[in-house]
Each structure stands twice: as structure tokens, then as C-alpha cells.
Amino acid sequence: MMNIFKKESVANFLSADARLQKTLAAKDLIALGIGAVIGTGIFILPGHEAASHAGPAVAIAFLIAALVSGLVGMAYAEFSSAMPIAGSAYSFGSVIYGEFVGWILGWSLILEYFLAVSAEATGFAAYFNHNILASFGLNLPKALQASPMEGGLINFTAVAIVLIIAGILMMGTELSKKVENFAVIVKVAIIILFIIVGFFYVKTSNYVPFYPKEFHSVPFGMGGIFTAAATVFFAFIGFDALASNSAETINPGKNVIKGILGTVIIAVILYVAFSLVLTGIVNYKELNVDDPAAYALQVVHLTAWNKLITIGALFGIFTAMVTMFIGGSRLVYALGRDGLLPKKLGQVSQKHAVPTNAVLIATVVQAVFAGLVPLTQLASLINAGTLIAFTFISFGILKLRRRSDIQNTGFKMPWYPFLPILAGLCSIFFIVMLPDITKVSVGIWLLIGIAVYFTYSVRHSNLQNQ
């Protein structure tokens, strides 16, 4: 008899994931995390949110988002310690809440991971076409520079970078790890250089007012800051993808928490410093542009540094795509492994120990969206899927601690039950703060997911057919 709230066992997941190689240490997870969270977010969002919602106080918005991300990150780390399995929130939810809730979380995260890669790809294309190709006098035909919605046929560069990264991931985690680690070092070095050089061009008058009155849209005047904080969650998505790699992590009980907290701490330092320097160089009203950092350097006549920032942006977006690509493909693998999607998606290549079919399906979907849909429409749905998963994982700690059959000798979230409840409530609050169109759109996506579950997944589920 069908029971949609039937719970999966950790032992089954561990047995299935034994095919994956454990090659990732804490430093590799930090590199993957920094690779994900320091991407399009740092090169676009600070300027946009300063101009639209918070002024120079956008730095406070990043700090708030980081604090909530850190809280939720500890919940993810405890789950990874207790259950070092692939699939992240989907697998955790299936064990704690039952299959149907696990599916909803997985469906939400497909939205996050796939659209994040596609959104990053369109950002990569914009920087590469306008700042690299154009500098050599090369210009792609207009039809190959934008989506049909923007008057073109296809975003050729966006599709190409998705295919290149897919090729790297097909060669196994060892190669992708080396490429990611190198790119992260280059990217962080360029960001630090921007902060140091830009500091000498800061005008304190640009910080006045620090939080402009036109953004005081709710009682206590915190509307703009919290709206910006809800939006810049896009800048922190990716740290949760580290939990997807726990099945491939050495000693996950210790290394996943190091990877997640290390990622959030480094990211918030860079984001806050970057935002303060950016809004100090140029008045916040001028920063609603696609490349605010490069624009700020042009304003102070540091044109030569523009190319360096472009290189940093390309490396940053590339590494973000790698991490989210890995997280999304591992999620598809987990859903296929459990029969909720076609079982071929759960197969693992014997040669490279990667879920080849899952990587292929992720490649096709992400390339199609990157080639045909503009960045703004892609980004609108990403945060909602993330925050839904954040909510269930945070409150899930309360249920996890009551499970006598799940032993955890590694990391546990401190100040239980206060911190898990606080993390869950904060996630709900930021869902409420998202734009209405985003909430409607994600509601439609969830309805599609429910339809898929009851028409296909529940009939093919390993758990239901045991």
C-alpha cells in the first residue's frame, strides 16, 4: 500500500553511495564553497541592491544573509555528519520527514542548482562577450549573443561554458577539484586587490546617508535592508551544495562543518569589504549596472584595472558554476538512485566514478535555459527554492535528535533547540520578504513537482516498492 510519508533508511543510502569515491578534504570543500558563493553575486549584486534597496547599507544586508546562512549551514553540517550521503536536503528530508517531503525538497533544489548554473552562464557570457572578445575587436553576431526574449536566437557563449564545465566534470572529481582550487585562488586574489586599490579612492561623502530614507518601507525602517538581504541570498547559495558532496568527503563528521563555516566566514568578509569599497568609490544611485566593479574603476580612471576585474569575474562565475553543477548532478543522481526519476540517472561510471547520466541530463537542461532565457528571469526563482530547503533542514534538526536509530559522533549544532528554531524562523521570514512574483512562480513549480511525484515517482519509487 502506498505511503507517501514512508521514511527511507540511512543504511540504504550509504550502501548505494559506496560507489562514489571519498576524495574531498576540508580545504577542498572550502574551495568548492568559495567557488560557489563568490561568483555573479559579488560582481553584480552589491551594486544592484545598493541602488535598488539599501544604499551603502547593502553591506549590512550581506552580513544579515551571512549570519542566517551560517546558522542553517550548521544544520546542514549536523545532517551531513549523521548521514554522509549524496542528495543533500532531498536525502535528509526523505529520512526525517518521509519520501514526499524529501521529494518536494529535492524538486525545490533542482530549481536552485539548475537555474543557478544557467544564470551564472549568462553572466559569464555578458562579461566574456563585452569585455574580452570586444577588446580584441571580435564580436559575435547579435543572434548569438542573447536569448530569443532579448532579440537574439541563442546565447552561444552561455551554452559553450556549460558544455565545457560538463566535460571537466565527466573526467571525475579529482580533475574538477584541481581546476576549482586553482580558479578560486585567482579569483579571491583579484577581489582582494580590488578592495585594497579601491580603498584609496573611497570618498566618505558617498556613505551619507548610509541608509537612505527612500528605502524605509516597513516599520523601524528596515524594509530595504531586509529585502536586500532576502535577495542577496543568491550570493550565498552553494554552501548548501557542499552537503551534496558529503558522500565523497573524507571524514564528513568533521570536514563538512569546516567547509561550510569556512565558506560563509570568508565569503562575508569579502562581500562586506567589497560592498563598502564599491559604495565608497561611487554614489549608490549610479551602481544599478551589470558590471558595478568595473564601472567604479572607470569612474576613478583606473581603466587598466577594468580587465583585471573582468578576469576575476570570469574566474568567479566559472567556479560558481562548477560547484552548483556538481550539486545539481548529484541531486539528480540521488533521485534516480531511489527510483523517483528514471533509474538510469542513478548509474555511476566505473571508469571515473561519477554519475554520468545525471551530469548529461543536468547539462542539457542548464544549456537550454542558459541559451534561451535571460539572467533576470532565471535569478527570480533561485532564492525561493533555497529558502524552502533551509526551512525544512533547520527544523529537521529537532526530529533528527529524536531518532535513536541514527548515530552521530561528529558535529552537532550548538544551543539546541534554540539555534535550529531560530534558523528555521529566519528562513520563513526571508521567504515572506521575497517579491510576490517569485512566490507565485515557485508555487507553480511546486505544483508541477507534486504532479510528477503522483504520476511517476510514487509508482517507481524503490521505497514504495520494497
Side-chain angles (χ1 to χ4, degrees), residues 132-145:
I132 300 296
L133 290 183
S135 67
F136 291 101
L138 301 173
N139 290 290
L140 290 173
K142 194 71 176 177
L144 300 181
Q145 289 193 50

Side-chain angles (χ1 to χ4, degrees), residues 166-181:
I168 294 172
L169 297 186
M170 285 289 195
M171 300 305 293
T173 55
E174 195 64 35
L175 175 61
S176 58
K177 179 177 72 176
K178 291 177 180 178
V179 172
E180 178 90 353
N181 289 354

Side-chain angles (χ1 to χ4, degrees), residues 34 68 128 218 309 315 327 375 380 399 417 458:
I34 292 298
V68 176
F128 187 80
V218 299
I309 285 296
F315 271 91
L375 172 63
S380 66
K399 295 177 70 67
V458 76

Side-chain angles (χ1 to χ4, degrees), residues 182-231:
F182 170 75
V184 165
I185 291 172
V186 173
K187 169 180 63 177
V188 171
I190 290 174
I191 291 171
I192 292 173
L193 203 56
F194 170 84
I195 293 169
I196 293 173
V197 172
F199 176 78
F200 294 99
Y201 292 85
V202 167
K203 295 180 180 179
T204 55
S205 59
N206 285 328
Y207 292 136
V208 181
F210 189 71
Y211 182 41
K213 287 186 178 180
E214 66 259 35
F215 301 132
H216 295 200
S217 56
V218 299
F220 310 110
M222 297 298 285
I225 289 180
F226 282 123
T227 299
T231 304

Side-chain angles (χ1 to χ4, degrees), residues 16 18-21 169-173 333 344 346-357:
R19 300 168 292 175
L20 301 173
Q21 292 181 337
L169 297 186
M170 285 289 195
M171 300 305 293
T173 55
Y333 150 79
K344 285 189 175 182
Q347 295 176 353
V348 176
S349 163
Q350 292 185 349
K351 183 177 180 181
H352 297 295
V354 296
T356 306
N357 292 334

Side-chain angles (χ1 to χ4, degrees), residues 36-290:
V37 303
I38 307 292
T40 299
I42 197 166
F43 294 105
I44 295 177
L45 283 181
H48 179 270
E49 290 307 307
S52 303
H53 294 124
V58 68
I60 305 300
F62 276 108
L63 184 60
I64 293 170
L67 289 173
V68 176
S69 297
L71 287 177
V72 179
M74 287 191 282
Y76 271 96
E78 178 167 340
F79 268 104
S80 296
S81 178
M83 310 178 209
I85 51 182
S88 188
Y90 153 68
S91 296
F92 302 151
S94 297
V95 173
I96 294 297
Y97 294 105
E99 183 180 79
F100 179 68
V101 174
W103 166 259
I104 292 297
L105 295 181
W107 191 251
S108 299
L109 290 179
I110 285 177
L111 188 72
E112 173 191 339
Y113 294 147
F114 280 14
L115 295 192
V117 171
S118 300
E120 298 280 2
T122 58
F124 184 97
Y127 268 96
F128 187 80
N129 293 341
H130 300 155
N131 295 291
I132 300 296
L133 290 183
S135 67
F136 291 101
L138 301 173
N139 290 290
L140 290 173
K142 194 71 176 177
L144 300 181
Q145 289 193 50
S147 74
M149 299 179 190
E150 298 171 308
L153 290 177
I154 190 171
N155 192 327
F156 174 79
T157 306
V159 173
I161 190 61
V162 170
L163 297 179
I164 289 170
I165 292 176
I168 294 172
L169 297 186
M170 285 289 195
M171 300 305 293
T173 55
E174 195 64 35
L175 175 61
S176 58
K177 179 177 72 176
K178 291 177 180 178
V179 172
E180 178 90 353
N181 289 354
F182 170 75
V184 165
I185 291 172
V186 173
K187 169 180 63 177
V188 171
I190 290 174
I191 291 171
I192 292 173
L193 203 56
F194 170 84
I195 293 169
I196 293 173
V197 172
F199 176 78
F200 294 99
Y201 292 85
V202 167
K203 295 180 180 179
T204 55
S205 59
N206 285 328
Y207 292 136
V208 181
F210 189 71
Y211 182 41
K213 287 186 178 180
E214 66 259 35
F215 301 132
H216 295 200
S217 56
V218 299
F220 310 110
M222 297 298 285
I225 289 180
F226 282 123
T227 299
T231 304
V232 300
F233 261 103
F234 176 75
F236 287 94
I237 65 169
F239 80 84
D240 56 314
L242 299 184
S244 290
N245 299 315
S246 56
E248 298 165 86
T249 299
I250 302 164
N251 194 359
K254 292 183 178 180
N255 286 332
V256 172
I257 184 61
K258 292 178 182 178
I260 289 176
L261 291 187
T263 293
V264 173
I265 291 170
I266 294 171
V268 71
I269 291 172
L270 292 177
Y271 271 125
V272 170
F274 190 95
S275 300
L276 289 173
V277 169
L278 182 66
T279 53
I281 296 175
V282 181
N283 186 275
Y284 72 93
K285 294 179 180 178
E286 301 177 36
L287 289 174
N288 195 16
V289 294
D290 288 338

